Amino acid sequence: MRPAPLRVSRLALPVLGAGALAAFAAFAAFATSAAPAPQRPQAAASSPAAMPPPQPPLVIPPAAPPATTLPGPGPADTDDAASLPTPSTAAQQLYGAARRDLLQIRMLLRNGRSQSSVGSGFLVGQGKLVLTNYHVVSQMALDPDVYAGEYVDADGRSGPVELMAVDVLHDLAVVRVDRAGTGFFRVPEHPVRLTQGQYLYSLGNPLDLGFAISEGSYNGVVTRSFYDQLIFTGPINSGMSGGPSVTASGMVAGINVSKRRDGESVSFLVPVRYAQDLLAQAARQAHPPKNFNPLIGQQLLAHQREMIDRLLGEPLSVKSMGPYRVPVRESQQLRCWGRSNFRAEAEYTLDSVSCAMEAAVYVSDTQQTGHVSMSHTWLRSGSMHPLQFAALASAQFRVDRIGSARDTRLTRPACSEQFVHTATLPVRAVTCVRAYRKFAGLYNFTLLSASTGDGQSSLQSRLDLAGVSYENGTRATRAFLSALGRSRRQ
C-alpha cells in the first residue's frame, strides 16, 4: 500500500491565520517523416550545434534565460497543533535554569508594527547572539523594508533583533539582541554523541501561549533528508521553531525545526553541528550584510550543484513499461511509486510510475526549492479508434500544468516545443523554464514528453527541477530525455 504523502510542518507560528485533432495530425505527420535534429540554443555554449539520431537529443530551452524582477512578500502558512503534556519534575528544573536565555522571536510589519509570525530562539553562552531557524526570520531576510524583528523574553522584556547570518540549506539563522545570555545554553565545539532513546528536552514558546518545555527522545537521523536531521520523538508545536533541544546536562543537541503532521510526536531537529560555523561567522561580523538575497542565492546555487551531481553521478536506472524503456532514480533522496487504473471493462489502461525527493529547501512560506521529481505514464487501448485515442492522449499531455503564470516569485514560463528522436523513440518534447525573481541564476525547469507514431499507445513523461542553474537544468533534461526509448522487439 502506498503511504500517505509526506506532510511536514515548519514550526514558526503565523499570526494570521492543444486540441485532439491537431495533436493527432502532428503525430501522423511525424510518423511518416524523419524527426528533425534539435538545435543548440545560443545560451548553452558547449557540444555540437545539432545532434542527429541516435545521439542523445537536447530539448531546447528558450534561447536565453528569462529576465528577472523583484516580487513582493507572500502570505504565511497555517498549522494544526495539539497541546503539550505537563513536564516532569526534572524537566521543570531544567526549564527553571534555562528560562532567562529563552526568547520569542517575532516578525513585525514595519507599517503598523503588527505581528506577522512568531518563533523561538535562545541566547548562546554569555554573548548577545541568538540562534534560531531561518524560516523564523525569512520575512526579515527576504524583505527587510517590509518586516522587522523583535524579541520577547520570559519576563516580558522586549527589544529589536538584528539579523547577522543565515544558513538556508540547514534552516538556521543568527540574530543579535541588546542583552547578554547567562551562559546556560552551550553549543559544543564537537558533535554531540547521542544514543538511541536518549532523553532530550525541547524548549520554546508553543502557539504563542508562553514558554514551555517538552520531553522526548532521540531516535536517530532521518535517512531520506538531503541534509541530516535528528528524529525527536516528542511533541513540539508551532511557535517552537528555533528553540533548543538539549540533553539533561543542558548541552544543545539540536534546534527545533519541523514535525510530521500525519504522525504522532514525530518531530525533527537541526543537528547543532551545523550551527557552529554560522555562529563563528556572525561573531566575526561587526555589521550584518545589507542585503541577504544574494547570499541566499549563493547558498541555493551551491545546493543545486550537489543535487544535480548526485542525480547524474551515475546513469539513470532504466525500467520497462510495456514496450517502452523509462529512466528513474531511486536513492536515499528519491523514492518511486507506481499505480494503475486497470479494470477489465475499461476502454483504456493507464499505468504510471513517479519518483520524487522527500525533502526541499525552505525559502519562504510560499516557496520551496532544491527539488527533483520525475514521472512516466503508459497509456494504451486496444478498442479505441485512433482519433479517439489521440484525443485522450492530447488531454493527458497538458502544458498548462506547470504552475500559475501569476506567481510573483517566478517569471512567466518561457517554453519551446520540438519533435526529436532518441536512439529508439520519436518524441514530442516541450521544455519550460521560469527564472527566480529574487535569486539570479536560479530556474525551474519542466520537461514534458510524449511518444509519437503509435495510434493506440503513448508514453508520456515529465521531469521537474526546482531551483537549478540554467546549465544544470539543460544537462538534466538532456540526460532524462536521452534515456527514453522503446524496448527491442523479440
Side-chain angles (χ1 to χ4, degrees), residues 74-285:
D77 194 10
T78 60
D79 177 43
D80 299 324
S83 60
L84 297 176
T86 303
S88 66
T89 301
Q92 292 180 44
Q93 292 174 347
L94 185 63
Y95 171 78
R99 68 182 300 274
R100 291 186 59 191
D101 289 350
L102 287 173
L103 301 177
Q104 184 183 65
I105 308 296
R106 300 175 174 177
M107 292 295 102
L108 309 175
L109 280 169
R110 290 187 179 274
N111 184 11
R113 303 294 291 182
S114 58
Q115 289 185 170
S116 175
S117 66
V118 293
S120 298
F122 59 99
L123 285 152
V124 177
Q126 296 180 328
K128 297 182 178 182
L129 295 181
V130 175
L131 196 57
T132 186
N133 288 138
Y134 161 76
H135 77 262
V136 170
V137 298
S138 60
Q139 293 172 316
M140 183 181 180
L142 297 172
D143 297 292
D145 294 335
V146 180
Y147 297 95
E150 176 185 73
Y151 77 85
V152 179
D153 66 19
D155 294 321
R157 295 187 295 265
S158 64
V161 302
E162 187 178 26
L163 184 59
M164 299 298 294
V166 299
D167 180 351
V168 177
L169 306 186
H170 300 108
D171 203 346
L172 292 173
V174 176
V175 301
R176 186 165 59 190
V177 298
D178 57 6
R179 50 156 294 189
T182 67
F184 179 82
F185 291 114
R186 294 167 290 138
V187 172
E189 295 182 2
H190 304 286
V192 178
R193 293 184 178 181
L194 301 173
T195 58
Q196 193 87 0
Q198 179 176 346
Y199 250 56
L200 293 177
Y201 302 85
S202 178
L203 300 101
N205 194 321
L207 307 177
D208 197 19
L209 296 174
F211 292 93
I213 186 168
S214 172
E215 299 176 76
S217 58
Y218 164 75
N219 274 297
V221 178
V222 180
T223 59
R224 293 190 176 93
S225 177
F226 200 89
Y227 302 104
D228 286 351
Q229 288 190 342
L230 309 182
I231 301 173
F232 175 70
T233 306
I236 56 178
N237 285 323
S238 293
M240 297 180 72
S241 276
S245 187
V246 301
T247 65
S249 65
M251 185 69 72
V252 178
I255 298 90
N256 306 331
V257 65
S258 61
K259 69 175 183 178
R260 285 290 293 260
R261 299 177 67 180
D262 55 349
E264 295 294 332
S265 298
V266 181
S267 308
F268 305 100
L269 314 173
V270 180
V272 71
R273 71 176 186 273
Y274 291 136
Q276 295 164 353
D277 290 342
L278 196 65
L279 284 166
Q281 173 188 331
R284 293 191 299 266
Q285 296 177 174

Side-chain angles (χ1 to χ4, degrees), residues 289-319:
K290 293 182 179 180
N291 185 356
F292 280 92
N293 286 316
L295 298 177
I296 293 171
Q298 291 170 14
Q299 293 176 13
L300 296 177
L301 282 168
H303 170 79
Q304 65 87 29
R305 284 193 293 269
E306 177 68 19
M307 179 179 72
I308 297 300
D309 284 347
R310 289 192 196 182
L311 178 68
L312 303 180
E314 56 186 46
L316 294 169
S317 302
V318 177
K319 290 189 173 183

